[in-house]
Structures are given as C-alpha cells and as structure tokens.
Amino acid sequence: ETGVTQTPRHLVMGMTNKKSLKCEQHLGHNAMYWYKQSAKKPLELMFVYNFKEQTENNSVPSRFSPECPNSSHLFLHLHTLQPEDSALYLCASSQDWASGILYEQYFGPGTRLTVT
Amino acid sequence: AQSVTQPDIHITVSEGASLELRCNYSYGATPYLFWYVQSPGQGLQLLLKYFSGDTLVQGIKGFEAEFKRSQSSFNLRKPSVHWSDAAEYFCAVGANDYKLSFGAGTTVTVRA
C-alpha cells in the first residue's frame, strides 16, 4: 500500500449505531487530519494530530471522537449521528510544521458516510 | 485568518481548448498556495503548490498556475484540456502552520 488509505469506502449507519472510520498513511508523515466534505461547501477541518497529539478540534460535536494511536494511524469513532452528518470524510497527512514551513497535505480517497 | 474564493462554480470547456480557473485569496502576508483536483469518488490530489520564488509554477498533468500578489490571485491554467481533466478543482491557502483554507471548488466539464 502506498499513500493514504481509508476504510471503509462506504458506510451506511443508523442514528443509534456506533462505527469507526480508519485511516492509514504510508508516507512517514507526523501530522494527520480529518476533514468533512459536504456538497458545494468548502472542506471543513475537523481534527488535527501532530506527533500523536491533538492540536485542533474545530468545534466538532462530541458524537465524533478521534483517536491517533501512532503517527501512521488515525481513527474517527462515530456514535448517535444525525442525518446532516452524511458526507464524505477525508483523511490527510503531511510533514509536521515545526520548522515554520507549511507542507502540502496528501489525501486518502475518503469514506462516503450515509446516516439514515 | 486566510480565506479563498473561487468565483466560478462550474466551467464547461471543449476538449483541446484552453482552461483557466480563478482563485482569489485573502491573507496579509505571502501565503502558501495550492491547487488540488478531485475526481468523482476520489480524494484530493495535489496538482501544484507555491511557496516562494518564481511566480509561475508548473504542476502535474500539464497544469500551471501564476501567483499575482497585486491581484491576490493564483489562477490555474492548462493550454489544452483532455476529457480526463473533467473533475472538481480546489484552491487552498495556508500560512506557516497546518491550517489550510479551501475554496468551494470549481467543477470542470469537458465536452467532446
């Protein structure tokens, strides 16, 4: 595997279910991101991890819970979601920004989530 | 905070014709600028980036972009489009940390 992978690619869940999205990067990066992409809206940054430490929680509802066990893996745990949470969830990774340089982010293919 | 505007929601272009996608940004200093492309059902792929130096940047798939500080723009161009260029294109701007601000995207349709 190369780049950034995400599983599952598609997920349908009821509002009372609990599920998890998984992201893995094979690029040797130290930073990982979760984004939400809704139709015709700019990407919304949800969470950022740098060297396994969470550095951003962009006012995301508590029904979304991230986990970063190491620099290569990132999870998004979902519970009691709402229909408006249906979207494409994208994971990305990059080199860290400790040097003051912003490096490009590499994206996975996304998980298409439908909440019924 | 930085922000990005992509004025064109949808552009239709004939195969073999030239393409230009507009991007305007708002940021006080010299920003980091990126163009990404997203094909249906896929994630975002980096086309090119500008950090400093030459204001005309070459990217993959025959794309180029020009940074114009006086116009706060970073427009993407391709001299001759192929049917495979049909996709959604996103401009993004960042500062010296991790936060990227993305535009809402421009959908490109290529007609035969």
Side-chain angles (χ1 to χ4, degrees), chain A residues 31-89:
Chain A
M32 297 189 77
Y33 312 75
W34 278 117
Y35 286 90
K36 177 183 180 181
Q37 186 179 29
S38 303
K40 301 308 177 187
K41 292 176 63 177
L43 269 69
E44 300 173 50
L45 179 64
M46 300 175 70
F47 302 104
V48 181
Y49 280 81
N50 190 35
F51 290 98
K52 302 187 298 178
E53 297 298 319
Q54 187 177 131
T55 58
E56 177 84 15
N57 177 339
N58 196 19
S59 303
V60 180
S62 59
R63 56 186 184 269
F64 295 91
S65 175
E67 178 189 2
C68 188
N70 55 60
S71 293
S72 298
H73 294 86
L74 185 64
F75 296 89
L76 188 62
H77 304 299
L78 316 171
H79 65 98
T80 59
L81 294 190
Q82 304 299 310
E84 59 265 28
D85 297 322
S86 298
L88 182 67
Y89 288 85

Side-chain angles (χ1 to χ4, degrees), chain B residues 13-30:
Chain B
V13 60
S14 297
E15 192 168 16
S18 64
L19 174 68
E20 181 168 12
L21 303 182
R22 295 183 291 165
C23 172
N24 294 102
Y25 68 89
S26 173
Y27 183 61
T30 300

Side-chain angles (χ1 to χ4, degrees), chain A residues 9 33 35 37 40-43 45 48 55-56 88 90 97 100-110, chain B residues 9 32 34 36 38 41-44 46 49 51 88 90 93-100 102-104 107:
Chain A
R9 294 293 308 276
Y33 312 75
Y35 286 90
Q37 186 179 29
K40 301 308 177 187
K41 292 176 63 177
L43 269 69
L45 179 64
V48 181
T55 58
E56 177 84 15
L88 182 67
L90 293 165
W97 51 88
I101 296 174
L102 175 62
Y103 291 95
E104 61 271 27
Q105 296 176 19
Y106 292 83
F107 286 80
Chain B
I9 297 174
Y32 293 81
F34 306 85
Y36 285 87
Q38 185 178 33
Q42 299 299 316
L44 278 67
L46 181 69
K49 61 188 178 186
F51 289 173
E88 191 158 19
F90 294 92
V93 61
N96 58 355
D97 59 8
Y98 54 84
K99 293 186 180 181
L100 282 184
F102 286 83
T107 301

Side-chain angles (χ1 to χ4, degrees), chain B residues 1-18:
Chain B
Q2 61 269 25
S3 65
V4 177
T5 301
Q6 293 180 247
D8 304 304
I9 297 174
H10 189 202
I11 287 180
T12 299
V13 60
S14 297
E15 192 168 16
S18 64

